[in-house]
Amino acid sequence: MEVVTARAILLRGGWVAMAVGATTLLWGCGSSSPSTVDPHSPEASHIAGLFWLMLWMSVGIYVLVLGFVVVSFRARQSTSRERGSVGGAWDVPPIGDVSDRRRSARFIIGGGLALPIVVLIVVGVATVRTTNAVRSGPSVVKIDVQAERWWWRLTYPDNGVVTANEIHVPVGESVELTLTSDNVIHSVWVPELNGKTDVIPGQTNHMTFTADAPGTYRGQCAEFCGIGHALMAFVVIADLPADYARWLAANEAPAVAPSAGAVARGASFLASSSCAGCHNIAGTAAVGTLGPDLTHFGSRTSIGADTLPNTPGDLSHWLADTQGVKRGALMPQIDLTDAQINDLVAYLESLK
Amino acid sequence: MSVIATPGTTRIDDRTRPPGFWGMVILIATEATVFGALLSAYFFVRATSDTWPQGGIRPPDLSRISVFTVVLLASSLPLFWGERAIRKGRVGQLRIALFASFVMGLAFVANQAFEFGSLEFSASDNAYASLFVVITGLHGLHLIVGLIMSIVVQVKASIGWFDAKRHLTVTVFGLYWHFVDVVWIVVFSSLYLSAHVR
Amino acid sequence: MSLLHDRPHAGELDPVWEDRHGLIGFFTTVDHKRVGMRYIYTSFFFFFVAGLLALVMRAQLAKPNGVVVGPDLFNQLFTMHGTTMIFLFNTPVLAGFGNYLLPMMIGARDMAFPRLNAFSYWIFLFAGIFIYISFVVGKAPNGGWFSYVPLTNATYSPGVNLDFWGLGVIFVGISTTAGAVNFIVTAFKMRAPGMAINQLPIFVWSIIGMAFMVVFSVPVLTVAAALLESDRLFGTAFYDPTRGGSALLYQHLFWFWGHPEVYILFLPATGMVSAIIPVFSRRRLEGYFWVASSLIAVAFISFGVWVHHMFATGLPSTAMGVFSAASLVIALPSAIQYFAWIATMWEGKINFEPPMLFALGFMVIFLLGGITGIMVSSMPFDWQATDSYFIVAHLHYVLNGAVVFPIFGALYYWLPKMTGRMLNARLGRWSFWIMFIFFNVSFFPMHVLGLRGMPRRVYTYQSWLGWNWLNMIASVGAAVFGIGTGLTLINVLWSRKHGAIAGDNPWRADTLEWSTTSPPPDYNFAAVPIIASRHPLWDQQPLPLGVSGPELATESLGVTGAEQRQTPITGGLDASPESGMTVPQPSALPIMLAFGIAVFFAGLLVSAQIVLITGAAIGVTGLTRWAWHTEVDRP
Ligand code: HEA
Ligand code: HEA
Ligand code: CUA
Ligand SMILES: [Cu+2]
């Protein structure tokens, strides 16, 4: 009776698999993940709606079609046979009469052509509608995003703000990102706000979204771009309009002047060291453009494209062991004494 | 192993095409795909480019190449003639035909080599230059392969390899040669003629 | 005409068809069966290697902030894993089965171009070695299996890593293309007399469809990679946006091949399923016409959907919508095949032998993989899914599920024919169930990971992203899945000595390969069968065998033909005899030419002119000698 066992296992296995599958899927919502099914913008909501529609249709089709498969096991199995033995079970198959063949043909056309055509029309219509819904009109807030290896250079052209890895946007307003790259291909992806748009050298792409609630939404580069690809993240911070205005005003200003003590020591060290060749700190001698603008570094939440949180401890870790924290980063390992690191940390964190 | 049978239909027809012929046809299909891809690349880059040719390069000069284009295309004619001849068993006529087309092909390659030498740009200048050099160069390479094949066929002809019945090599070689000619028509229209169209 | 006419054969035929002895024989054989077996063994070797690479990746990803490998090595791992699986496992293993089975199924004594066939194999082997030398010198390719520019140009990927990939891909493409030429001509010109086009086994149809896709797509990959190498080695500007080139051009060229390629892999796999299901359901395949047409339809449609891999590139969305729609349409041929299989099982009585189990496992897995394919072909959803683990899940459900499962089924089904020994069914069942269950354990969670925002090709991730457990489950599943495949490996090795003797036709199957001994004699068929049915071994008992007649068209059919190393050439839709072809003697030309090409590529790789010229010289000499030695019209 091993045949039956095999079939039973297959059946039971199928149910278990579906139960496990359903649970893991539900797991997709909630939690701390930057999840596509936890949308926070109309764009992402439209797509999530499309997803759920397709998901439930898929589950339906899956169960239906697999149901046919399982039933087909039983259909003509009434005669008992010994498995593997050459004999009854291995007879030359009959040709089958015309009505058999008609039945099969109807089944094949019905299941293989009619059913999918209906389903595909639904999917097609939903696709077109979602595409149109996601394509939005002109935006007021415009932000230039330049993908670097492996961080994001951000410019607010209307306000002259330059920053990195942390996109502040006002809640409820349509935001348009202008995406360019002068190196390799990257891709901008903030699952909770919108799908991906590639950033391709030699071409300017655009991406729009409207955050519908204040919060921090994690994004990450989604196109493989070399050694730093895994650690090329960023955050979108949706502020209430007032907070956003405050943030803009603060970031338009040049860097705060160093007070005394460690901060001042750090400032003068930075201005005279190689740091100044790569980093810009508006209002100081540091005018480099290779690395992220540090003018308001202290106000940012992360270091190294969301590789570390921005705390003094992590910053000294970053400075002491850049290549250990982010292998391949285009910031070289710089020989610094502990004292120098402390001073730099104090200064950088003061740049609110 | 018992029963024997003779097939119902037996067709004896020396015009049926043997595997070698079809092998060459399909090989030609892959080659055509290569050129198709390259020419698509040409027009793709052209469509995304503001100026064409790029970087101030002048469109290719037509006068000289037109003459040699005629020479190359004409080189197919002796081959047709030669194939007809060998079908009647006239090896001598075939040899003359092969030699004539060989000389015409050689002349074309020689001209290409000369034009390559006097290009006013190099393949690394910009994408247009790269496309031009690589596409015409690849065609030239095909022609050189054709010339080598022609030598083999000519030697075979001269030692009496072929007769009225057995001359598949000639047919297969002819196919290839005609293909290289036809490709040139497309390459010539795309790279030379169309570059003058604004 | 009588029985007496057919002389006793084996003893007299063997010397005519035998390979040379010893090592020389090994290197000069042109027998499609030996070549096919080599293809299969070699590509399975690569499968296990690439699988091990995957297990290292899974070990690294099992936990957040993994420390098993660093980013530089990880990037090499997934590049080599994907490249190996696609180019050195899947494509060649199917070519191997095709090589072995196609002539047998159509009643031919060899392929149309046996030496070209041997050549294809040597090229594949050398290309595989070529690509894997990169690991030995510690410079494996690291640009992903589609190696997008500009990341892979000389500026951003200096060093020889990417050259191994670019040149290797061109190199192995020669093998695939030559193989396709061979398949097409064989299928159309070498069929046993009477095997009309509507009597071809479905597997043969699938090989035909596959071969046509190869003919019109692989050259495009060759162009894509050749232009890449030209940019890298000679400084041309095809893909350099700063010099008027285009990065997207590469993507178009790559995916114009890349999409048909996945069906190149998939089609023969479905062909295998269409061979297995009827035999183990004891039922003729229902809807033969529909299935055959579906295969051809897939081959056509697959050329119209490549942009669905580029939905996020910012092309105008109306243009992309067309490709989105075309991608939806491609569900239809798959669905037709699917329902034809169900109908066959429905009307039949199923024997749950290992080949059938793998076919059923295929159906369960492919259904899911196909449906996720439909989901991602809906453009807006793909914007979310693309380049995330959702795609990794889709591609493994189709590649690892819908292609690897049929291949394992085919091993259990056809290896007895090839070696004469059955595989152990018990071990086979264990292997199947472990593979089936842990395949899902490993790859199902990846869908969820993708939906939760995990991009692909990341060597590490942070602990607070909610990806930890799912990754751990996937890793454990992968390891156990690997063990499941290992059981089949053990089974194969074990069966060589201890397997039960298979006999001619252990499954009472319908196609011609089962009419000869297992393993088959060098000449496959002493006398070529005359076909009058789609299922000759079921309907034509006893099988009528050809006798050599006096005319050119028929002299090769009988034993006399076999004695002269002849195989029949037939033509027309109904395969009427046209003439005979002498199967070439064993020859060193294939390996010599392949070697020349290998040296040539090595020369390009190290940019050494001497090596380059040596290789070219060997190659041209080989080619010229080959042209000289064409048997076709030797007087
Ligand atoms: C064997 C290989 C194989 C097969 C068969 C398929 C089959 C399909 N694939 Fe897949 N695909 C890959 C291999 C394959 N794919 C790979 C390797 C990649 C990733 C490449 C990379 O980026 O690395 C990829 C990526 C990929 C993408 C790009 C995703 C991205 O990168 O953003 C898309 C988008 O449209 C897609 C679509 C499809 C579709 C529509 C099918 C269809 O053919 C599926 C049709 C089948 C069915 C639907 C099931 C049977 C049908 C029924 C039982 C009827 C009922 C069903 C319905 C009505 C829905 N695939
Ligand atoms: C046929 C194709 C194929 C197959 C079979 C597989 C099989 C597997 N793949 Fe692969 N995969 C691809 C094709 C394939 N893959 C492609 C094309 C990519 C994209 C690459 C890219 O992005 O560029 C990819 C990418 C890919 C990734 C994503 C990498 C990334 O984006 O960062 C991952 C991660 O989990 C993965 C895992 C696996 C695993 C665990 C298996 C398992 O099935 C492997 C199972 C293990 C084995 C088969 C070996 C173990 C065997 C033994 C140990 C033998 C034991 C012996 C005895 C006991 C005697 N694959
Ligand atoms: Cu930038 Cu990946
Ligand atoms: Cu595709």
Side-chain angles (χ1 to χ4, degrees), chain B residues 107-179:
Chain B
F108 185 87
V109 171
N111 175 61
Q112 279 295 73
F114 173 80
E115 291 207 349
F116 260 42
S118 55
L119 281 183
E120 50 193 43
F121 52 83
S122 94
S124 55
D125 283 359
N126 55 37
Y128 166 79
S130 306
L131 283 161
F132 184 87
V133 170
V134 164
I135 295 175
T136 52
L138 188 71
H139 179 265
L141 209 62
H142 275 77
L143 202 50
I144 291 174
V145 171
L147 291 174
I148 296 176
M149 282 165 68
S150 173
I151 294 176
V152 174
V153 181
Q154 291 189 55
V155 173
K156 278 189 173 180
S158 68
I159 62 170
W161 193 286
F162 307 122
D163 58 33
K165 280 240 170 287
R166 297 170 193 270
H167 50 259
L168 180 65
T169 303
V170 181
T171 322
V172 169
F173 161 70
L175 267 181
Y176 180 83
W177 189 273
H178 300 319
F179 163 71

Side-chain angles (χ1 to χ4, degrees), chain A residues 280-294:
Chain A
N280 182 50
I281 301 179
T284 76
V287 292
T289 53
L290 256 67
D293 187 294
L294 298 179

Side-chain angles (χ1 to χ4, degrees), chain C residues 389-409:
Chain C
Y389 260 76
F390 195 90
I391 301 302
V392 178
H394 164 69
L395 79 87
H396 285 93
Y397 264 81
V398 278
L399 282 177
N400 197 359
V403 180
V404 169
F405 275 68
I407 289 172
F408 272 69

Side-chain angles (χ1 to χ4, degrees), chain A residues 61 65 116 119, chain C residues 145-146 255 262-263 266 308-309 327 330-331 334-335 338-339 366-367 370-371 373-374 376-377 382 386 391 394-395 398-399 403 456:
Chain A
I61 295 169
V65 177
V119 174
Chain C
W145 86 278
F146 40 77
W255 290 116
V262 304
Y263 294 97
F266 177 61
H308 71 208
H309 295 272
S327 308
I330 212 164
S334 293
Y338 203 100
F339 278 83
F366 167 61
L367 185 57
I371 289 179
I374 296 300
V376 290
S377 61
D382 187 65
T386 187
I391 301 302
H394 164 69
L395 79 87
V398 278
L399 282 177
V403 180
R456 64 195 282 199

Side-chain angles (χ1 to χ4, degrees), chain A residues 80-121:
Chain A
S80 71
R81 297 163 281 120
E82 295 129 60
R83 182 182 38 77
S85 67
V86 176
W90 296 91
D91 285 344
V92 166
I95 303 223
D97 56 31
V98 181
S99 71
D100 281 357
R101 265 178 280 145
R102 284 236 182 85
R103 188 173 57 229
S104 294
R106 270 201 305 274
F107 182 69
I108 295 171
I109 304 302
L113 224 49
L115 166 80
I117 285 181
V118 173
V119 174
L120 294 180
I121 288 177

Side-chain angles (χ1 to χ4, degrees), chain C residues 428-450:
Chain C
R429 278 197 199 92
W430 274 97
S431 179
F432 167 75
W433 283 108
I434 294 178
M435 282 175 71
F436 178 72
I437 293 169
F438 288 92
F439 172 87
N440 289 294
V441 171
S442 181
F443 294 103
F444 190 86
M446 293 187 187
H447 294 108
V448 186
L449 279 172

